[in-house]
Amino acid sequence: MGKNILVIAGSSDILFQSIILLLGKGWSVYATSRQAINYEHINLHKFHLDVCDLKSFGALEDSLSNVKFDAIIYGAGCVVSSPVENLDEDELRRQLDINLFGFLRLIKLFSNKLNTNARIINLSSMAAYGLFPFISPYCLSKAASDILLRSFSLESGFKYVSIRPGAIKTKFWEQSICDNENNFKNFGDKFKKQGEFLLSNARKNSMNAISPKLVAKAIYRAVSAKNPKPIVTVGYDAFVCAMAARFFPTNILDFIIKSVLRLKLK
């Protein structure tokens, strides 16, 4: 029997690959984005959505009033980078509005449009383990969205999956550099080396990280599995983060993170 899948932020590299994979299984995909999705298929239904705009969500709800979904995938996101001591409050709000409150709006409006065995999938990040200084807003938003999702699952009975990729080769890196043009001024002289490292690392990941198709396969398994794992890492770096967060005491882990950062800045 064919499934109905709602995909939020379908124009992103990871979810675009996911859409193609899901359509290949004969399922119907209802994909939203702010930008055009340059793909046509008889089972692909495209809609405009701004996750920060409740009216936009309302219009989407009206358009899909007669559809029941077997899975909802949330992939909208941005990265705010700054030392905490210079973090702009409005930038933190922007981070949370997209990564967290957009997800909440989705759950509130579409939880009554889920079939009995449906699951909600959050395209999270290894940043949810909170191990990365200078992108604390992003770490916070990903951890919080996963907690929100888990709580909703416990309250509602719907299955959930948090997909936590490591570095993936997508245009997200270059977009993040552009989005943080003003935030990089917050690094100043005090954190100049750290800011330069973040920029260099982002550009390297945009060229050399693993394929988004690997994450798309993980998303497909989350949709299709009878009893999917609630947390799924993709990539060796994500696996290392998961193991470190699980097995190392906090003081030891903090020491390791600071030591690695000092080595990277030499």
Side-chain angles (χ1 to χ4, degrees), residues 2-263:
K3 295 180 183 290
N4 292 324
I5 317 296
L6 177 59
V7 177
I8 307 300
S11 61
S12 70
D13 291 329
I14 290 173
L15 289 183
F16 180 75
Q17 293 297 331
S18 301
I19 288 170
I20 293 173
L21 186 56
L22 296 170
L23 289 169
K25 303 301 178 181
W27 299 338
S28 295
V29 177
Y30 299 78
T32 78
S33 66
R34 289 191 303 169
Q35 301 174 353
I37 299 173
N38 297 316
Y39 191 76
E40 300 296 333
H41 192 283
I42 191 171
N43 290 329
L44 175 61
H45 312 276
K46 297 184 283 188
F47 304 87
H48 178 269
L49 177 68
D50 180 350
V51 300
C52 296
D53 185 354
L54 191 58
K55 290 183 179 179
S56 185
F57 263 114
L60 178 66
E61 183 186 25
D62 291 341
S63 298
L64 300 176
S65 59
N66 296 320
V67 184
K68 287 283 190 176
F69 294 101
D70 299 286
I72 293 178
I73 305 166
Y74 189 82
C78 70
V79 176
V80 170
S81 177
S82 174
V84 172
E85 65 188 64
N86 297 325
L87 177 61
D88 185 273
E89 290 185 11
D90 287 338
E91 280 295 276
L92 179 58
R93 291 188 185 95
R94 179 173 72 89
Q95 176 79 89
L96 296 177
D97 200 21
I98 296 172
N99 291 24
L100 178 61
F101 289 105
F103 194 24
L104 176 61
R105 294 174 188 118
L106 174 70
I107 291 172
K108 291 176 71 173
L109 287 176
F110 283 87
S111 60
N112 63 343
K113 297 182 182 298
L114 295 173
N115 287 322
T116 302
N117 295 318
R119 64 281 317 267
I120 299 182
I121 300 163
N122 185 29
L123 182 53
S124 186
S125 168
M126 66 178 178
Y129 295 109
L131 307 183
F132 302 97
F134 303 105
I135 56 167
S136 60
Y138 184 63
C139 296
L140 171 65
S141 68
K142 289 300 185 182
S145 63
D146 281 345
I147 292 169
L148 186 78
L149 177 57
R150 183 179 183 183
S151 294
F152 173 70
S153 175
L154 292 170
E155 294 161 4
S156 66
F158 290 114
K159 293 182 175 67
Y160 76 97
V161 182
S162 167
I163 306 287
R164 297 181 179 179
I168 308 297
K169 184 180 179 181
T170 70
K171 59 179 177 286
F172 185 69
W173 298 100
E174 288 296 336
Q175 289 174 346
S176 298
I177 291 173
C178 293
D179 286 346
N180 283 281
E181 184 177 355
N182 288 327
N183 290 328
F184 279 120
K185 297 174 184 177
N186 295 341
F187 286 80
D189 292 333
K190 182 177 180 179
F191 299 108
K192 182 179 179 181
K193 286 186 177 181
Q194 289 86 343
E196 290 173 347
F197 168 72
L198 286 178
L199 278 171
S200 174
N201 193 58
R203 293 190 172 110
K204 180 185 72 174
N205 288 335
S206 71
M207 300 295 293
N208 301 323
I210 63 175
S211 170
K213 291 182 179 180
L214 295 176
V215 188
K217 289 179 180 178
I219 289 173
Y220 164 71
R221 289 192 292 270
V223 172
S224 60
K226 184 177 180 179
N227 292 301
K229 294 180 179 180
I231 297 175
V232 177
T233 59
V234 182
Y236 178 74
D237 50 353
F239 173 76
V240 170
C241 282
M243 292 300 100
R246 180 177 180 181
F247 293 111
F248 284 99
T250 301
N251 59 332
I252 299 298
L253 187 54
D254 286 352
F255 174 79
I256 292 172
I257 293 169
K258 287 186 284 188
S259 298
V260 170
L261 188 59
R262 280 197 297 268
L263 288 173

